[in-house]
């Protein structure tokens, strides 16, 4: 009987030590988890999740990078979402900057700016023939004559030379 108690103690203490080891492993991020995209196993600490994903999907770094680069470079997207299946949570720009190559991140910035200008009727690209590349915002209720930061002046409505209080139609007739 005393031998059995010793064995039980040894057995239960090894189970306790095993549980403690698992808990410590989880705390250290050493626990292995499977990436839902590539199905490879990684240590939890090496997995990435978007802080904006309400479902807390975690994906390996390689799959995140491939996803971000594909969405921007191949698909031309300016809103990149979590790569988990059926998840449409957008990821923040900082995460895109951290995961994408500098070339792809510059493409993302350019695509985002173009999308913003194209979707806002009060924002246009400066029509400077030299191509300054700046976007110009028109404020309702102010003169349509605009001066871009590059120094180029034009009418926001007709994109021609500024014409003060004359309508665009009258100004066109004068030219």
């Amino acid at each position: 009987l005393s031998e059995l108690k010793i064995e039980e103690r040894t057995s239960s203490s090894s189970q306790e030590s095993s549980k403690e080891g698992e808990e410590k492993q989880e705390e250290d991020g050493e626990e292995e988890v499977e990436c839902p995209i590539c199905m490879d196993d990684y240590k939890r600490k090496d997995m990435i999740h978007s802080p904006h994903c309400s479902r807390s999907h975690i994906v390996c770094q390689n799959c995140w990078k491939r996803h971000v680069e594909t969405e921007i470079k191949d698909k031309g997207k300016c809103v990149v979402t979590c790569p988990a299946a059926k998840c449409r949570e957008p990821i923040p720009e900082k995460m895109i900057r951290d995961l994408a190559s500098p070339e792809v991140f510059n493409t993302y910035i350019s695509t985002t700016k173009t999308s913003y200008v194209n979707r806002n009727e009060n924002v246009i690209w400066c029509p400077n023939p030299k191509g300054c590349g700046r976007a110009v915002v028109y404020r309702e209720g102010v003169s349509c004559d605009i001066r871009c930061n590059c120094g180029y002046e034009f009418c926001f409505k007709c994109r021609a030379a500024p014409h003060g209080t004359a309508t665009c139609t009258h100004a066109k007739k004068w030219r």
Side-chain angles (χ1 to χ4, degrees), residues 161-172:
H163 45 80
T165 56
T167 66
C168 296
T169 307
H170 284 124
K172 187 176 180 180

Side-chain angles (χ1 to χ4, degrees), residues 1 11-12 27 30 33 39 42 60 77 86 88 113 117 131 133 139 143 160 167 171 175:
L1 197 62
S11 171
S12 71
E27 287 173 14
E30 296 295 324
V33 291
M39 310 304 251
Y42 294 90
C60 76
K77 294 198 174 177
K86 299 181 182 177
R88 295 288 141 233
K113 285 179 184 177
V117 172
R139 307 266 184 246
S143 170
T167 66
R175 281 187 227 119

Side-chain angles (χ1 to χ4, degrees), residues 11-57:
S11 171
S12 71
S13 68
S14 68
Q15 285 176 348
E16 286 174 17
S17 116
S18 173
K19 283 183 183 176
E20 287 172 9
E22 286 174 16
E23 287 172 8
K24 180 163 177 36
Q25 189 178 23
E26 285 179 25
E27 287 173 14
D28 293 343
E30 296 295 324
E31 171 194 13
E32 295 255 326
V33 291
E34 182 180 87
C35 172
I37 310 253
C38 65
M39 310 304 251
D40 288 340
D41 290 334
Y42 294 90
K43 293 178 182 172
R44 182 174 291 281
K45 70 178 183 178
D46 296 332
M47 301 288 278
I48 300 173
H49 82 279
S50 169
H52 293 275
C53 181
S54 59
R55 298 183 191 118
S56 297
H57 294 125

Side-chain angles (χ1 to χ4, degrees), residues 129-149:
K130 295 178 183 175
C132 83
R134 291 180 174 91
V136 182
V137 179
Y138 170 68
R139 307 266 184 246
E140 295 281 336
V142 213
S143 170
C144 291
D145 293 343
I146 302 285
R147 180 184 174 102
C148 177
N149 285 340

Side-chain angles (χ1 to χ4, degrees), residues 148-175:
C148 177
N149 285 340
C150 72
Y152 189 75
E153 294 180 344
F154 63 98
C155 170
F156 186 85
K157 289 185 179 177
C158 68
R159 315 291 193 267
H163 45 80
T165 56
T167 66
C168 296
T169 307
H170 284 124
K172 187 176 180 180
K173 287 178 186 176
W174 296 337
R175 281 187 227 119

